[in-house]
Amino acid sequence: MKNKKYNLQNVMGLGLITAISLFAGCKKSFLDRTAAGTTVATQFWKTSADATAANAAMYADLHSYAELAFPAIAIESMGSDDVTKGSVPTDATFLQEYINFSVTPGEGQLEGFWTGVYNNINFANQILTNVPAINMDATLKARYLAEAQFIRAYDYFRLVRAFGAVPLRLHPPVTASDYNLARTPAAQVYAQIEADLTAAASVLPTTYSSVDIGHVTKGAALALHAKVALYQKKWTDVVTYTNQVTALGVYSLFPNYEKMFRTQNKNNSESIFEIQNELIPNHPEESNSQYSQVQMPRVTEPAGGWGFNNPSPNLIAEFEAGDPRLAATVIYTGQVTAEGDMIDASAPDPYYNYKSYVPFSQYVSGFNQGCQQDFMVLRYADVLLMNAEANNELGSTSTALASLEMVRARAREGNSAILPAVTTTDQATLRNAIYHERRVELGMEFDRHADVIRQGRGAAVFGFLGFKAGKSEVWPIPQNEIDLSAGVLTQNPGY
């Protein structure tokens, strides 16, 4: 495994635009950029171009190492029965501490995730604080502010799921007292997330022209709001927001489950929000996503990756007989992929994540392997399953069954001999069927850990791994952050 280094810093103290690199916007993608140095706050926030540069920097930060590689994998994927650490036994052994819920507050991925996500919140807060004073096109200004509200909401949702109560920062620090905030109760964090998403959805467009594909949309704000409501068991709200996503008329299930995750099908009909990762010719330093690289099969380079975060036998056993999603989720060593790559049978792990896979023919020497692979944050199948779960909890069984059947029908790929329609009208039985469907449909998409915990099943499902009720529902607050705060930040129970 290559050694990826990044600075750990108390990003709660970042208050100047010097945290933001400015990028030119002359290329096709809004993420394609040429570094232009940094600019102090007194020289920035003057023009529409400044606002556009800040917007691009905010999005670009979403594919940082902290937010898509080891820290995110540790916090959002490792603590579940869906995955194994992967790679060779002696490599990155700290990841095993997340799988067996033995992690301590000083473990470095906690700090990496915390600082990485707060850094992105800082980008959003800079925009929300400074862009209103810029004299620019009013419609574009409103859109940039709404995008920043969505990104801030998405970031806080990741934090509150991971740690519970967290400091709620809504503007860059100005005075000394702004630099060291106490934890805000989770309910208040959720309330702010919902306020941001409500405001964003009222402004964001339903679709974009090709030049702006990848920016957040109204559908993204509504879908994330539904997921936030799901975590709070606000079932009526979940139904409302998922129905609103469907009513937009722009999303549909992609017909081929495996092909949905390939690079040639980025931003397809099912995608509601995905983090845009690019391979920018002649700019390997800007093509820096490692989401795919750390998970690709650990085979001979240059094609191979690091081989971490692999499907577990437990996940594989969950799939029903003949379910095509199994072969689209799991790469087996010794197999030839649908794209024609032979996975060396001597690789150290029997299984790898197909959803992060990039065909070897797309690898370019000098670039991170698979750096062009996007990360799907929200997709329409999740919306349908949220709708099914909420309707079942509200007693609307027929509607729940209809939403569930749409997901299973796509998975069948026309084969009526597999995945029979779920017909039960018993609420508890249907609930379990929906939980099962979420697991196999969203497998290896960083959803299982938090999903089981918000369902209240942590001890029952993860107990054999070491999950302890009253403790393992959240991760420990990074010890370094507590130390930097001189005790203003408090630790979660049990750590």
Side-chain angles (χ1 to χ4, degrees):
M1 182 193 77
K2 298 186 180 84
N3 183 29
K4 172 68 181 181
K5 296 182 180 179
Y6 52 93
N7 292 326
L8 299 182
Q9 56 183 326
N10 182 12
V11 297
M12 296 171 67
L14 290 176
L16 298 176
I17 191 60
T18 48
I20 299 180
S21 294
L22 309 184
F23 308 113
C26 59
K27 299 183 180 180
K28 291 182 180 180
S29 168
F30 76 97
L31 286 181
D32 293 358
R33 67 263 187 213
T34 301
T38 57
T39 304
V40 296
T42 55
Q43 297 170 315
F44 198 64
W45 304 118
K46 302 295 185 183
T47 68
S48 179
D50 293 341
T52 298
N55 178 273
M58 176 181 67
Y59 278 101
D61 189 64
L62 284 172
H63 65 233
S64 70
Y65 180 85
E67 296 198 60
L68 281 186
F70 266 13
I73 286 171
I75 298 298
E76 297 180 316
S77 185
M78 281 284 114
S80 89
D81 52 351
D82 273 8
V83 301
T84 63
K85 176 184 77 70
S87 187
V88 296
T90 57
D91 201 355
T93 56
F94 53 82
L95 291 176
Q96 192 64 41
E97 298 173 22
Y98 293 86
I99 292 179
N100 61 26
F101 296 94
S102 64
V103 66
T104 57
E107 206 297 300
Q109 307 315 304
L110 296 165
E111 176 79 359
F113 184 79
W114 179 285
T115 58
V117 176
Y118 268 113
N119 190 61
N120 200 239
I121 289 170
N122 178 62
F123 281 97
N125 282 342
Q126 292 274 4
I127 291 170
L128 291 165
T129 297
N130 294 292
V131 167
I134 296 177
N135 183 15
M136 59 182 292
D137 178 80
T139 300
L140 183 61
K141 177 192 289 189
R143 198 194 92 194
Y144 282 170
L145 295 173
E147 290 179 64
Q149 286 175 307
F150 173 92
I151 297 298
R152 183 169 70 182
Y154 168 62
D155 286 329
Y156 272 120
F157 182 52
R158 297 179 77 183
L159 287 169
V160 76
R161 288 196 314 178
F163 300 107
V166 293
L168 183 62
R169 180 175 297 287
L170 301 178
H171 59 77
V174 176
T175 65
S177 62
D178 292 333
Y179 281 85
N180 197 13
L181 301 182
R183 298 172 69 182
T184 302
Q188 290 180 233
V189 178
Y190 272 115
Q192 181 60 49
I193 291 169
E194 294 201 77
D196 275 344
L197 291 172
T198 297
S202 70
V203 172
L204 289 169
T206 302
T207 59
Y208 289 101
S209 63
S210 59
V211 71
D212 284 323
I213 292 294
H215 286 262
V216 293
T217 60
K218 180 185 293 291
L222 293 170
L224 183 57
H225 205 158
K227 199 151 193 170
V228 170
L230 185 78
Y231 274 70
Q232 300 172 87
K233 295 181 169 55
K234 295 182 175 181
W235 305 120
T236 300
D237 287 352
V238 176
V239 171
T240 296
Y241 295 125
T242 54
N243 284 345
Q244 287 178 3
V245 172
T246 297
L248 293 174
V250 297
Y251 304 109
S252 61
L253 296 174
F254 195 73
N256 186 302
Y257 185 86
E258 184 262 321
K259 299 300 183 188
M260 171 171 53
F261 297 96
R262 304 287 73 82
T263 57
Q264 68 267 31
N265 294 314
K266 291 185 177 192
N267 305 300
N268 58 62
S269 64
E270 186 163 340
S271 173
I272 298 175
F273 178 57
E274 61 186 82
I275 295 173
Q276 310 291 305
N277 297 323
E278 299 286 350
L279 192 157
I280 305 169
N282 302 315
H283 288 281
E285 75 285 355
E286 302 295 344
S287 309
N288 58 4
S289 171
Q290 294 182 274
Y291 161 68
S292 179
Q293 182 183 45
V294 299
Q295 299 181 82
M296 282 291 293
R298 192 176 176 116
V299 297
T300 304
E301 292 194 11
W306 298 359
F308 290 97
N309 194 46
N310 299 335
S312 69
N314 194 304
L315 171 62
I316 292 169
E318 183 77 12
F319 287 86
E320 296 166 63
D323 189 338
R325 291 173 294 189
L326 174 57
T329 302
V330 181
I331 293 176
Y332 296 82
T333 54
Q335 83 168 84
V336 176
T337 69
E339 289 70 30
D341 293 327
M342 175 65 189
I343 307 302
D344 192 340
S346 65
D349 298 285
Y351 316 116
Y352 294 97
N353 181 5
Y354 210 150
K355 292 179 179 178
S356 65
Y357 159 81
V358 173
F360 297 167
S361 62
Q362 296 183 24
Y363 286 16
V364 178
S365 179
F367 289 77
N368 292 335
Q369 296 99 326
C371 61
Q372 64 271 62
Q373 177 72 21
D374 285 3
F375 176 70
M376 195 90 73
V377 175
L378 294 164
R379 57 186 179 91
Y380 190 51
D382 192 3
V383 169
L384 291 172
L385 292 174
M386 288 191 287
N387 182 273
E389 184 173 344
N391 272 301
N392 181 53
E393 297 301 330
L394 293 171
S396 299
T397 308
S398 61
T399 306
L401 288 169
S403 293
L404 176 61
E405 173 57 18
M406 289 178 67
V407 176
R408 290 177 67 81
R410 188 271 299 275
R412 284 186 205 110
E413 298 181 354
N415 184 356
S416 60
I418 60 173
L419 301 176
V422 176
T423 59
T424 181
T425 58
D426 178 75
Q427 186 182 56
T429 304
L430 180 53
R431 181 184 298 121
N432 288 331
I434 293 168
Y435 288 169
H436 159 79
E437 203 67 27
R438 287 191 65 82
R439 187 180 187 190
V440 296
E441 175 67 28
L442 303 173
M444 304 306 297
E445 296 181 45
F446 293 27
D447 201 73
R448 174 70 171 172
H449 167 79
D451 221 13
V452 168
I453 291 172
R454 63 97 182 160
Q455 293 160 1
R457 302 190 299 143
V461 176
F462 299 152
F464 76 101
L465 294 170
F467 185 101
K468 294 181 175 58
K471 172 186 176 181
S472 304
E473 289 82 1
V474 290
W475 298 115
I477 303 298
Q479 187 61 48
N480 189 53
E481 296 299 320
I482 293 175
D483 295 343
L484 288 169
S485 77
V488 172
L489 289 180
T490 56
Q491 187 54 268
N492 279 322
Y495 294 104

